[in-house]
Amino acid sequence: DEIRELTLGFLLGVRKRTDEESALTLARKQLTGIAGLASERIRNALGLPATLEGLATVLDIHPVFAPQQYVDRSISLEDGRIELRIGRRGGADADSAWPTLIDSDHLGPLDALVRGVDPHFTARVRSETADELIVDVVRTDTPAKEAGEVAITRFSTGADFEFADRGIPLPLIVL
């Protein structure tokens, strides 16, 4: 919730300083980085498999689509794919929150999110109306490269930082 509130506040600040299209472009880039890294961390923290079942769990609790009372969405696993329906009538839409940044022309954040679970996953639009966007998430044979926005978020948050044992420590000399 705190991340969502900070992001909404950031977007409001950007909108005051630039045109709407530039603000949306920046917000989508920010969302792409956050969505991809967050789904990877959720999968790892919960020990979920890199399968459609694991992805369905991540989608259900991911900050982009949670809580369900706020985001008008449904997730169903069927016939070797996930069907994700993003409705356009929930509280998230009234607030112009993250789900409103995803549409048939802007799937980058959603692709980053699903690829955070497995780089073989991709989102494909099935249909879009004023009331909803329906996307199928399928597994492809070829893994996708990590989105640049995810790599930048990973680097800027220190997501890959770890201590390594390098052997004998340097001696301390007291003067």
Side-chain angles (χ1 to χ4, degrees):
D1 289 339
E2 293 161 5
I3 292 173
R4 185 176 14 254
E5 288 178 21
L6 285 171
T7 302
L8 286 171
F10 175 76
L11 185 55
L12 287 171
V14 170
R15 282 182 167 138
K16 288 180 181 179
R17 292 169 178 78
T18 189
D19 62 278
E20 183 65 11
E21 193 56 39
S22 295
L24 288 173
T25 297
L26 183 59
R28 285 185 179 107
K29 286 178 184 261
Q30 180 190 42
L31 176 56
T32 299
I34 292 169
L37 191 56
S39 63
E40 179 183 309
R41 288 182 174 180
I42 292 167
R43 181 184 58 85
N44 291 341
L46 298 178
L48 296 170
T51 61
L52 287 170
E53 291 82 4
L55 176 58
T57 300
V58 169
L59 284 167
D60 193 44
I61 61 175
H62 197 286
V64 171
F65 298 116
Q68 189 169 2
Q69 298 85 348
Y70 180 63
V71 181
D72 177 15
R73 52 86 173 161
S74 64
I75 302 159
S76 59
L77 181 60
E78 51 190 59
D79 301 325
R81 64 182 168 81
I82 289 179
E83 179 188 281
L84 172 62
R85 185 194 62 79
I86 304 169
R88 301 300 189 196
R89 301 279 187 235
D93 295 283
D95 291 343
S96 298
W98 283 338
T100 64
L101 298 174
I102 301 169
D103 59 38
S104 62
D105 293 326
H106 302 97
L107 290 179
L110 184 56
D111 273 330
L113 188 159
V114 302
R115 290 173 183 157
V117 172
D118 184 330
H120 289 90
F121 291 142
T122 191
R124 296 184 178 149
V125 174
R126 186 187 310 165
S127 67
E128 183 174 34
T129 66
D131 293 331
E132 66 184 6
L133 170 67
I134 299 177
V135 177
D136 288 331
V137 178
V138 297
R139 191 172 201 293
T140 61
D141 292 334
T142 306
K145 290 177 62 176
E146 180 175 73
E149 295 88 351
V150 175
I152 290 169
T153 303
R154 180 183 310 286
F155 177 76
S156 68
T157 61
D160 286 341
F161 181 83
E162 63 183 65
F163 289 101
D165 183 0
R166 296 185 178 200
I168 300 171
L170 294 175
L172 294 176
I173 300 172
V174 179
L175 300 174

